[in-house]
Structures are given as structure tokens and as C-alpha cells.
């Protein structure tokens, strides 16, 4: 889906400003204040790690099964048209559900003005905006578009550790829960590096110290960890298009796990460790980007297409369709196994 332009407006169509207007606890003053300070408007839940199992990756049995939730990719480009108003609109982040997208937008040099806008992916039109404090970052949206995940962020280390869940099922957004996922894992390193809403009731988070990271699968009800997995330095997981499988770039292998159950569904040998990965839209292929190398894997056959040299800027892999991978500024053809274009 292409994003062509994104002007927006500040509006009170959705009254989330009343819910979120005071900001996250511990972030309105000194950015180094402890984030676990409680707030009566947003009571902080205690993350429960009791009983969480650490995944042990074994060779997958039988044939790889595609994520059952993978849908068909729309063949047309969608132009997202935000409402007019901000003088210097800048899209900070985008989060996609099945039929809805959310954008976090700032007004350029006006540091105090930031909004979240909801857009319908069928029409491309804006369906509402609400104020968002600059110390908040839009992290993810549930596939059905009914829940938002917001992360604390004031740039400095130690200010990105709190996550808050909001429900959009009613006309007025409602606070569900907030927690610091890595408070019990490492007191020194609490920042969340990556977070996704698997569905309305579960979250995946990645965090930990610089040398290694811990992936945790959370049940929102009770903020209870169900399983954990260790990832190497500079490794980032990826959810399948349907959100039911997660790919983990480990040491010299990539493991695909069923998110809800924690079972291994595929193990791919790799010559590389870590990096960033991404599923193709049909869920049958996987791209791994690490340094100046791009590797594409066939999940159904359990084999690699081979490594491709990336002579351009590195970046996370993005699939425009099932036959092409964009990494940084270079577009690769999976079938021809070569770089096609370099965008400047």
C-alpha cells in the first residue's frame, strides 16, 4: 500500500485527549524519572512472569503450515488522505490492522502538537483524529483495529519501557492496562525495542540489554507472560501477515514459531546470526537483512534462494509483493535473484 500524502487536522472527534492528555506517569518532567510511578488515571499493572516457559527450539515435524489468517493482498494502491490542518505534518509512525490504519503525526517544529489519525483502508479516508503527547509513540494496532498499543518515549535511554493498551470499541477510547514488561527481567535495561499486538488479548514484546534480547508473549488479561525466547544482539523478530506466526533470527538459524502455542513450525539453517526479517504477503517466503547481505527463504520447501549483495543502504526488508523485496533503497527480484532498482 502506498502512502502519497498525509496532511491532518487536530480534532476532538474522538475524546481520547481527555484520557491521554496528562501523559504517561513519570514523563512530564525529568525524562530520567522512574517510569513505574503510578497514576490514578492509568493504574500500572505488575507484569507477572511466574510460570512463563522459555522456548526450546526443536526440528519441526512434518510439512510447514501457512498462517491460517493470511489474507489476500489487495491489487490496488491505497492513497491515505488525512484531514487538513497542521502546517508541517510529518508522519512519525504507521500501524496497520486488517481494514484500518493508524498514523502518529507531528507538526514539524511544534514539539507540543502531535495527533493520532485513524484511516479506513477500503476508502483511504480519515475517520477521526485525537491529540497525542509527544512523549508517546504509537506502537501497534490489533488486527481488528479495536485496540491500540502506545509506548512511552522521550528519546533518552530508560524512557521507553512502559506500554499502555487502549480500547476503541466504544465512541470514547478507554484505558485497558499499562505495564513495564522488562522491569522484572533487568532493572537496568527496561526499554522496549519492539512491540506488537498479536490480537485483542495478546502482546509480543522485545527488550533487554544491548548484548541480547528477550522476546516475551503476554496475555493482556492479568498482564501474564506465557513464554519467552532469547534473541541475539541486533536481532528483530517479525510477525506473519496473519499475526499467528513469528520468525526469530537466531544464531545461524531462523525459527518460525506458532505465537499462541509456542510450538516450532519451521527451522531454517542460515549462515548468518540475527538481523531483521520479514514475511512475504502470502506467508510462504521470508527475507533476512543483515549488514550488506539479503537472504530469501522458501518456508514451504525449507530452503534458501541464496544470498544477495546489498550495495546500497541497509534496512529492514519490506515486501511490495510476493516477488520483490525492498531493503533500504534497493529493490530486489526474488525470481531473478538480483537488484532491480536503487532509489535515491
Amino acid at each position: 500500500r502506498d502512502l502519497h500524502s498525509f496532511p491532518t487536522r487536530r480534532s476532538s472527534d474522538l475524546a481520547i485527549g481527555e484520557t491521554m492528555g496528562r501523559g504517561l506517569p513519570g514523563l512530564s518532567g525529568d525524562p530520567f524519572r522512574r517510569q513505574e510511578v503510578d497514576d490514578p488515571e492509568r493504574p500500572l499493572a505488575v507484569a507477572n512472569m511466574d510460570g512463563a516457559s522459555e522456548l526450546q527450539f526443536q526440528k519441526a515435524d512434518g510439512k510447514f503450515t501457512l498462517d491460517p489468517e493470511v489474507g489476500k493482498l489487495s491489487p490496488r494502491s491505497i492513497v491515505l488522505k488525512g484531514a487538513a490542518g497542521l502546517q508541517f505534518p510529518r508522519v512519525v509512525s504507521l500501524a496497520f490492522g486488517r481494514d484500518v490504519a493508524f498514523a502518529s503525526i507531528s507538526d514539524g517544529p511544534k514539539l507540543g502538537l502531535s495527533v493520532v489519525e485513524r484511516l479506513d483502508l477500503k476508502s483511504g479516508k480519515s475517520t477521526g483524529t485525537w491529540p497525542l503527547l509527544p512523549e508517546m509513540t504509537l506502537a501497534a494496532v490489533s488486527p481488528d483495529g479495536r485496540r491500540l498499543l502506545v509506548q512511552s518515549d522521550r528519546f533518552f535511554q530508560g524512557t521507553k519501557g512502559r506500554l499502555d493498551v487502549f480500547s476503541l470499541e466504544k465512541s470514547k477510547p478507554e484505558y485497558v492496562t499499562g505495564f513495564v514488561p522488562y522491569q522484572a527481567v533487568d532493572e537496568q535495561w527496561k526499554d522496549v525495542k519492539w512491540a506488537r499486538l498479536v490480537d485483542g488479548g495478546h502482546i509480543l514484546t522485545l527488550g533487554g540489554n544491548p548484548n541480547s534480547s528477550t522476546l516475551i508473549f503476554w496475555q493482556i488479561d492479568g498482564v501474564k507472560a506465557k513464554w519467552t525466547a532469547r534473541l541475539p544482539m541486533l536481532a528483530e523478530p517479525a510477525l506473519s501477515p496473519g499475526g499467528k506466526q513469528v520468525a526469530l533470527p537466531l544464531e545461524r538459524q531462523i525459527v518460525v514459531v506458532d505465537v499462541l502455542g509456542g510450538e516450532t513450525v519451521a527451522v531454517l539453517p542460515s549462515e548468518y546470526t540475527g538481523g531483521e526479517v520479514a514475511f512475504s504477503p502470502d506467508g510462504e517466503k521470508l527475507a533476512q537483512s543483515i549488514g550488506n547481505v539479503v537472504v530469501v527463504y522458501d518456508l514451504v520447501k525449507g530452503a534458501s534462494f541464496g544470498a544477495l549483495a546489498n550495495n546500497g543502504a541497509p534496512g529492514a526488508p519490506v515486501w511490495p509483493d510476493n516477488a520483490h523485496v525492498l531493503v533500504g533503497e534497493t529493490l530486489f527480484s526474488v525470481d531473478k535473484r538480483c537488484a532491480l532498482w536503487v532509489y535515491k
Side-chain angles (χ1 to χ4, degrees):
R1 297 182 174 97
D2 297 333
L3 177 67
H4 294 274
S5 62
F6 224 117
T8 185
R9 64 182 171 86
R10 190 171 186 175
S11 169
S12 58
D13 292 348
L14 300 179
I16 200 168
E18 299 176 11
T19 307
M20 303 173 69
R22 294 184 179 84
L24 293 173
L27 294 178
S28 57
D30 182 357
F32 294 100
R33 275 187 64 189
R34 298 178 63 185
Q35 297 179 64
E36 58 269 26
V37 177
D38 212 345
D39 178 356
E41 290 285 333
R42 272 176 304 283
L44 190 65
V46 177
N48 183 2
M49 297 288 294
D50 295 342
S53 60
E54 183 172 357
L55 297 188
Q56 303 297 321
F57 305 112
Q58 306 293 334
K59 185 176 180 180
D61 296 328
K63 184 180 179 181
F64 172 73
T65 302
L66 289 175
D67 179 346
E69 297 295 322
V70 172
K72 294 183 178 180
L73 186 67
S74 171
R76 66 183 182 89
S77 171
I78 299 174
V79 181
L80 302 181
K81 298 179 180 179
L86 297 185
Q87 187 174 4
F88 300 102
R90 182 176 70 89
V91 177
V92 178
S93 61
L94 283 166
F96 289 89
R98 292 191 188 96
D99 300 314
V100 66
F102 287 82
S104 174
I105 309 163
S106 69
D107 194 8
K110 298 181 181 179
L111 298 180
L113 181 57
S114 184
V115 299
V116 166
E117 186 157 12
R118 179 166 54 186
L119 299 111
D120 185 285
L121 289 181
K122 294 181 179 179
S123 66
K125 296 181 179 179
S126 171
T127 59
T129 66
W130 58 87
L132 181 67
L133 293 182
E135 59 261 31
M136 295 177 176
T137 298
L138 175 65
V141 58
S142 61
D144 60 10
R146 295 181 179 180
R147 286 196 168 183
L148 282 183
L149 186 65
V150 178
Q151 180 180 2
S152 62
D153 185 358
R154 280 187 62 88
F155 180 75
F156 301 101
Q157 178 182 311
T159 67
K160 305 176 183 181
R162 174 165 177 157
L163 297 176
D164 288 274
V165 180
F166 288 86
S167 171
L168 299 177
E169 293 187 26
K170 299 180 179 179
S171 58
K172 180 179 179 179
E174 296 181 341
Y175 177 74
V176 177
T177 191
F179 67 113
V180 182
Y182 294 92
Q183 182 172 1
V185 177
D186 193 324
E187 276 289 333
Q188 185 178 359
W189 304 99
K190 300 179 185 177
D191 285 353
V192 176
K193 304 175 184 178
W194 179 94
R196 297 291 186 272
L197 276 163
V198 177
D199 52 33
H202 299 91
I203 301 173
L204 269 175
T205 64
L206 181 72
N209 64 59
N211 297 321
S212 66
S213 301
T214 302
L215 183 71
I216 307 178
F217 177 56
W218 299 93
Q219 175 182 294
I220 295 176
D221 185 18
V223 192
K224 182 175 178 59
K226 307 299 288 184
W227 56 257
T228 68
R230 301 290 294 179
L231 270 67
M233 180 174 60
L234 302 180
E236 186 173 295
L239 278 176
S240 60
K244 299 304 182 184
Q245 296 174 349
V246 60
L248 313 179
L250 305 177
E251 185 173 353
R252 302 184 71 84
Q253 66 176 349
I254 297 177
V255 177
V256 180
V257 174
D258 176 83
V259 178
L260 296 180
E263 297 91 0
T264 301
V265 296
V267 178
L268 302 166
S270 173
E271 297 181 11
Y272 305 95
T273 296
E276 297 173 283
V277 293
F279 284 87
S280 60
D282 61 10
E284 295 183 4
K285 302 182 188 71
L286 196 69
Q288 179 185 26
S289 173
I290 180 165
N292 61 348
V293 175
V294 178
V295 186
V296 178
Y297 302 88
D298 188 320
L299 289 169
V300 178
K301 296 180 179 179
S304 166
F305 285 89
L308 301 170
N310 181 14
N311 297 319
V318 178
W319 292 80
D321 58 27
N322 295 313
H324 300 87
V325 180
L326 179 66
V327 178
E329 54 191 26
T330 306
L331 181 69
F332 295 91
S333 169
V334 175
D335 298 330
K336 297 180 179 179
R337 303 183 187 182
C338 67
L340 293 180
W341 299 98
V342 177
Y343 297 92
K344 296 291 187 181

